[in-house]
Amino acid sequence: MNCKMICFAAGFMMMLAGCNEQKTEVAVVKNETAKAAAVVSAAPAPAPAPAPAPVAQVSQIDWAKALEMNKNGAMFVDVRNPPELNDGFVEGSVNIPLPEFQQRFAELPKDKELLIYCRSGRRSEVATKFLMQQGYEHVHNVMGGYLAFPKK
């Protein structure tokens, strides 16, 4: 029974009592109102809203660690736009520009360590977070992007 129904019932009972209030009728109304209030207070409280799922931290790694991981089979993913590749790129990396990333991310294996980089590290962090939201567990943002790549 919701609050509106209880109030309606209480008001209806009071109306029945009319102008010729008698103690018995008033007692009945009070008794019915008390019963209705007891029902409302006995109702379970609404469940609290679920807490938002914790956001996983993005794994940030430096180039030394990334290059070591690559030697052990990890895959570099470059999210820069094609003209930026003229500045250089990591040998063997896969290029999926960030604007195409949502449509093409399924090209990347879920069972392999992925080393995501861009020019400075901002776009690659966005791509890394996106992959994590898609269920990828082995993704790492390479800090500093290609600007921090060790030049020979």
Side-chain angles (χ1 to χ4, degrees), residues 14 17-26:
M14 292 171 110
C19 294
N20 297 329
E21 284 186 2
Q22 296 179 0
K23 288 187 180 198
T24 57
E25 290 175 346
V26 171

Side-chain angles (χ1 to χ4, degrees), residues 49-63:
V55 177
Q57 290 291 93
V58 171
S59 170
Q60 304 279 353
I61 61 172
D62 61 22
W63 277 103

